[in-house]
């Protein structure tokens, strides 16, 4: 080998110069760049990442198995069972409450009020419809908006008012345990109903429609007849209301109760005598008894102490 600058160079000398030796890198397990991919890190005890993961899964399964062996899983109530138990307990309490005498009395009072209101509303509606029919019958031939035509609207309302009075009175007495069977009340009620019925059907019955004079006579008699019946029935209603017993304790009641019990023991009266039977029994002895006291005794003997 030759050189144009420094002259010839001995190839043998060059080849004898020792080449620079590069030291081989020491293996470093912490350097992942120098470790083949997928090779686990192995500690001195062999605790690899996979071993730790499997050990954790095994411990989890042991813990779950211990919880599953607990009987609380099958003995504890589910939300649905809790709801059913609550409903069953509520139903049992309601059933027991229905047998309570005070609850039964409240139920009876509510039903009595509902029936009374329903019948009253129906009666008002029926009489209101009847008013239009009666007005057409009474005002037949009268000029529209004349005095006769206008006043004919009052015929049915005053009959209806008297009927409603009879109904209200009997309903009030019934709520106090007294069933009104007075002949004067029943007769007046029948007459008022008859007047209303006749005036409603008059134009549609050929025999009645052919006698206009008879209709005029009846219409003229409605007012006086209704007034007479009202005068006769008002004192009767007052008497029934005044005879109601409002539960005031007195000596007469105690003594009369003892007498009635003695009559029952002797066989003079049945075990649960009515008010009229009690009055007749006292009248036969010549003593007599007030109707209110007899009513209280009857209620006491029949167990209706809530009305005493």
């Amino acid at each position: 080998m030759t050189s144009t600058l420094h002259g010839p160079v001995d190839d043998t000398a060059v080849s004898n110069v020792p080449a620079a030796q590069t030291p081989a890198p020491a293996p470093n397990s912490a350097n992942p760049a120098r470790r083949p991919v997928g090779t686990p890190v192995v500690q001195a005890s062999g605790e690899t990442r996979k071993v730790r993961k499997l050990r954790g899964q095994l411990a989890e399964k042991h813990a779950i198995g211990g919880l599953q062996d607990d009987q609380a899983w099958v003995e504890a109530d589910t939300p649905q069972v809790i709801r059913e138990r609550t409903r069953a307990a509520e139903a049992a309490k309601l059933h027991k409450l229905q047998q309570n005498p005070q609850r039964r009395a409240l139920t009876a009072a509510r039903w009595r009020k509902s029936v009374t209101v329903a019948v009253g509303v129906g009666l008002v509606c029926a009489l209101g419809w009847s008013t239009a029919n009666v007005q057409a019958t009474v005002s037949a031939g009268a000029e529209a908006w004349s005095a006769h035509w206008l006043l004919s609207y009052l015929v049915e309302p005053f009959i209806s008012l008297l009927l409603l009075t009879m109904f209200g009175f009997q309903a009030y007495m019934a709520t106090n345990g007294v069933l009104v069977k007075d002949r004067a009340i029943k007769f007046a009620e029948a007459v008022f109903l008859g007047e209303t019925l006749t005036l409603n059907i008059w134009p549609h019955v050929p025999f009645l429609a052919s006698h206009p004079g008879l209709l005029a006579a009846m219409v003229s008699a409605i007012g006086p007849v209704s007034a007479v019946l009202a005068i006769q029935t008002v004192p009767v209603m007052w008497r029934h209301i005044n005879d109601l017993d409002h539960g005031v304790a007195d000596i007469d009641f105690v003594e009369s109760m003892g007498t009635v019990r003695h009559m029952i023991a002797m066989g003079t009266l049945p075990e649960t005598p009515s008010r009229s039977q009690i009055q007749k029994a006292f009248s036969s002895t010549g003593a007599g008894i007030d109707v209110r006291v007899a009513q209280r005794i009857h209620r006491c003997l029949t167990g209706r102490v809530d009305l005493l």
Side-chain angles (χ1 to χ4, degrees):
M1 181 178 183
T2 57
S3 176
T4 58
L5 296 176
H6 301 288
V9 178
D10 189 358
D11 294 334
T12 304
V14 174
S15 61
N16 291 334
V17 175
Q21 299 292 331
T22 302
N28 185 4
S29 60
N31 189 357
R34 300 302 180 91
R35 187 175 68 252
V37 178
T39 303
V41 178
V42 181
Q43 298 182 359
S45 61
E47 189 78 14
T48 63
R49 186 182 301 154
K50 185 174 183 180
V51 172
R52 289 195 299 272
K53 180 178 179 181
L54 292 175
R55 181 175 287 108
Q57 293 178 354
L58 182 62
E60 180 183 13
K61 292 183 180 298
H62 278 294
I64 293 175
L67 293 175
Q68 289 177 342
D69 292 338
D70 195 338
Q71 291 298 316
W73 286 106
V74 294
E75 294 177 356
D77 291 341
T78 62
Q80 183 177 0
V81 173
I82 294 175
R83 287 195 299 268
E84 291 298 321
R85 283 190 173 183
T86 303
R87 292 173 182 172
E90 182 181 8
K93 291 180 180 179
L94 289 175
H95 178 73
K96 184 178 180 180
L97 183 61
Q98 291 293 337
Q99 311 305 319
N100 188 290
Q102 296 178 351
R103 182 64 178 82
R104 293 168 67 90
L106 177 61
T107 302
R110 287 176 176 175
W111 271 105
R112 184 170 56 198
K113 180 179 179 181
S114 300
V115 170
T116 304
V117 171
V119 173
V121 171
L123 185 58
V124 170
C125 294
L127 294 176
W129 171 263
S130 177
T131 299
N133 293 332
V134 171
Q135 192 274 341
T137 302
V138 175
S139 64
E143 184 181 354
W145 301 105
S146 63
H148 179 74
W149 187 86
L150 292 174
L151 291 175
S152 61
Y153 274 105
L154 300 178
V155 175
E156 179 64 16
F158 80 73
I159 299 176
S160 301
L161 184 60
L162 294 174
L163 268 176
L164 289 174
T165 302
M166 300 295 172
F167 168 76
F169 163 70
Q170 295 180 72
Y172 171 73
M173 297 300 296
T175 57
N176 287 273
V178 179
L179 183 62
V180 178
K181 297 181 179 180
D182 193 279
R183 292 183 179 180
I185 299 295
K186 296 300 180 182
F187 177 75
E189 189 176 25
V191 171
F192 294 144
L193 287 173
E195 291 175 349
T196 299
L197 178 62
T198 304
L199 292 176
N200 274 274
I201 67 173
W202 192 286
H204 309 288
V205 178
F207 173 76
L208 297 177
S210 60
H211 295 79
L214 185 61
L215 173 62
M218 179 180 177
V219 172
S220 301
I222 287 177
V225 169
S226 299
V228 171
L229 292 176
I231 293 173
Q232 290 180 347
T233 54
V234 167
V236 176
M237 291 187 285
W238 286 345
R239 176 172 55 82
H240 279 82
I241 294 175
N242 291 334
D243 288 343
L244 284 177
D245 176 31
H246 301 288
V248 180
D250 51 28
I251 302 300
D252 292 340
F253 170 73
V254 178
E255 295 178 351
S256 300
M257 175 61 76
T259 304
V260 170
R261 292 189 184 278
H262 177 71
M263 291 181 177
I264 294 175
M266 297 297 294
T268 308
L269 287 174
E271 292 185 0
T272 55
S274 64
R275 183 184 64 178
S276 59
Q277 290 176 328
I278 295 173
Q279 289 180 286
K280 290 179 180 178
F282 273 81
S283 299
S284 63
T285 62
I289 185 174
D290 188 76
V291 64
R292 289 173 290 182
V293 177
Q295 181 67 29
R296 290 186 62 191
I297 294 175
H298 167 67
R299 291 174 179 174
C300 184
L301 294 176
T302 54
R304 297 156 62 188
V305 294
D306 56 314
L307 297 177
L308 289 177

